[in-house]
Amino acid sequence: MKTVDLRSDTVTLPTEEMLEAMSGAPLGDDVFGEDPTINELQHIAAKLTGKDAALLVSSGTMGNLVCVLTHCRRGEEVVLGDKSHMFLNECGSMSSVGGVHPHTVFNQPDGTISLGDIEGAIRGVNDHWPRTRLVCLENTHNRCYGAPLTPEYMASVKDLAGQRSLKVHLDGARIFNAVVALDVDMKDLTKHVDSLSFCLSKGLSAPVGSVVCGSHEFIAEARRNRKLLGGGMRQAGIIAAPGIVALGRMVDRIADDHKNARRLAKGIAQIPGLSIDLSTVYTNIVYFDVDIKRITTDALKAMLDRKGIRALPTGPTRFRMVTHYGITEEDIDLTISVLNDVMKGVG
Ligand SMILES: *Cc1c(COP(=O)(O)O)cnc(C)c1O
């Protein structure tokens, strides 16, 4: 039976070209800075994002933590969205590892945080208060329907942060989805942040890795913090090689994922017992709700699993489906037809 795995864009497998690149990559010890393949990937990433330098890390979670540790000292505070991945899904690492205090503010449904809310969260000078050091944004926003943040919005946050002497970090795990959806140059987004991390292993389909980008000074310190976390890798050019292929070959095709997500959403909108707001389908992430008077989320998940369709329950009534490399239009049509059959059966 065919499986259509829509739980996440992290389930993608490396392409043939990536596997070949891995086996042929020139390698060296990266803790000495001597892996030519890693150095090439970092050079490409820095150029692409318009930053001085870049650093390969093992995951998006490590990338974000390395950046927080580099911007903030213990007892300092980060302003970030209450639905952000960094707050919800990274083990509270900024506080547990860094001693850094997260100050959450409301994420609007489109992934933005109102400037008023950011401003209201920035601390003044008072012996009782932590010192605010950093504002974090997420683009595209995972929990907020994969919504892309526009260059204009990012510029407005950067302006506000600058006036209050704060730095801005971007969790750009899916920044390429934003670039494709908004049809902008990467630098139009990245020029408004001091640091960012992006994932090679999501929509770009590489097997492992994320990249942190920033100034020369920032990356030098980030390298230290990566080492502190046990992330100093040796011949990790075997990870960087498919990352280079990902950046060169896998960006433009993301448009197909966005098309498939819309196709899927439109199909779901026609199915009695399922509900979706089509205006929330921005990129490759589709959230929909099930009428749990007809079928529970657990039961729906089990029935889909049995038919080879994999979706991720993310709330009492909610499912997430994510399109990615390897998912075709036919897979989408099969998914819609299975959902239709299942819901008819319980109607
Ligand atoms: C996936 C993800 C990350 C980190 O991912 P890892 O699984 O640690 O590589 C960070 N931020 C967002 C928004 C993500 O979706």
Side-chain angles (χ1 to χ4, degrees):
M1 186 181 63
K2 186 179 169 71
T3 298
V4 181
D5 194 340
L6 297 167
R7 288 172 301 167
S8 176
D9 47 10
T10 54
V11 302
T12 47
L13 297 175
T15 63
E16 275 306 313
E17 197 181 351
M18 289 179 188
L19 294 171
E20 273 164 33
M22 288 171 83
S23 65
L27 303 174
D29 187 337
D30 183 53
V31 175
F32 292 120
E34 291 172 3
D35 188 297
T37 309
I38 294 178
N39 290 341
E40 187 188 343
L41 171 70
Q42 291 174 165
H43 180 73
I44 293 169
K47 259 186 78 174
L48 187 67
T49 57
K51 299 297 176 196
D52 296 341
L55 184 71
L56 175 67
V57 293
S58 62
S59 69
T61 300
M62 180 184 274
N64 286 329
L65 178 56
V66 158
C67 289
V68 169
L69 292 177
T70 305
H71 285 297
C72 306
R73 285 189 256 173
R74 298 184 71 80
E76 293 183 338
E77 194 167 69
V78 173
V79 175
L80 79 176
D82 62 348
K83 299 176 196 76
S84 65
H85 194 278
M86 289 177 70
F87 178 62
L88 292 177
N89 291 323
E90 299 184 6
C91 303
S93 62
M94 72 171 71
S95 57
S96 63
V97 179
V100 175
H101 199 228
H103 189 157
T104 53
V105 280
F106 181 70
N107 266 126
Q108 304 289 331
D110 66 357
T112 60
I113 306 167
S114 81
L115 295 183
D117 284 349
I118 295 175
E119 187 145 34
I122 300 170
R123 310 279 190 160
V125 179
N126 184 305
D127 279 352
H128 301 79
W129 298 342
R131 292 189 174 122
T132 312
R133 191 62 71 199
L134 179 68
V135 178
C136 294
L137 297 174
E138 184 173 317
N139 197 1
T140 62
H141 202 292
N142 184 339
R143 275 271 157 173
C144 296
Y145 305 98
L149 307 181
T150 63
E152 295 72 30
Y153 173 73
M154 296 193 60
S156 67
V157 173
K158 178 65 183 160
D159 271 356
L160 171 59
Q163 287 163 25
R164 305 295 296 268
S165 306
L166 307 180
K167 302 289 186 187
V168 180
H169 169 69
L170 175 65
D171 176 356
R174 293 191 181 82
I175 188 75
F176 293 95
N177 293 84
V179 165
V180 169
L182 299 169
D183 193 21
V184 295
D185 190 277
M186 171 69 89
K187 294 185 205 69
D188 294 334
L189 298 170
T190 54
K191 71 181 173 198
H192 304 300
V193 300
D194 299 287
S195 63
L196 73 143
S197 68
F198 67 78
C199 287
L200 297 165
S201 62
K202 293 196 169 158
L204 299 185
S205 296
V208 188
S210 287
V211 181
V212 165
C213 306
S215 67
H216 284 303
E217 214 178 8
F218 181 87
I219 293 298
E221 196 59 23
R223 213 180 147 78
R224 247 188 98 78
N225 285 320
R226 181 185 69 172
K227 185 71 181 166
L228 172 109
L229 297 174
M233 298 182 281
R234 303 294 176 176
Q235 287 75 28
I238 55 166
I239 294 172
I244 293 169
V245 175
L247 292 178
R249 296 259 194 228
M250 303 300 282
V251 175
D252 291 343
R253 62 149 305 284
I254 285 176
D256 296 341
D257 298 341
H258 296 178
K259 232 163 66 191
N260 282 335
R262 284 214 70 79
R263 188 181 182 89
L264 175 63
K266 282 185 186 157
I268 289 171
Q270 302 300 317
I271 301 175
L274 301 183
S275 58
I276 184 166
D277 177 353
L278 290 178
S279 73
T280 64
V281 185
Y282 299 95
T283 53
N284 68 327
I285 303 182
V286 175
Y287 284 98
F288 63 93
D289 291 288
V290 57
D291 177 358
I292 53 171
K293 289 196 286 301
R294 298 192 195 206
I295 182 169
T296 65
T297 43
D298 283 350
L300 177 55
K301 181 187 177 306
M303 287 176 89
L304 292 176
D305 279 347
R306 248 177 278 137
K307 298 187 182 224
I309 308 292
R310 310 214 57 195
L312 193 72
T314 61
T317 64
R318 186 153 284 197
F319 279 91
R320 186 183 83 167
M321 288 183 167
V322 185
T323 56
H324 51 78
Y325 176 70
I327 297 293
T328 62
E329 213 173 272
E330 293 71 49
D331 295 332
I332 296 300
D333 291 344
L334 174 66
T335 302
I336 295 167
S337 122
V338 168
L339 277 168
N340 217 346
D341 290 347
V342 170
M343 294 309 292
K344 246 188 213 145
V346 299

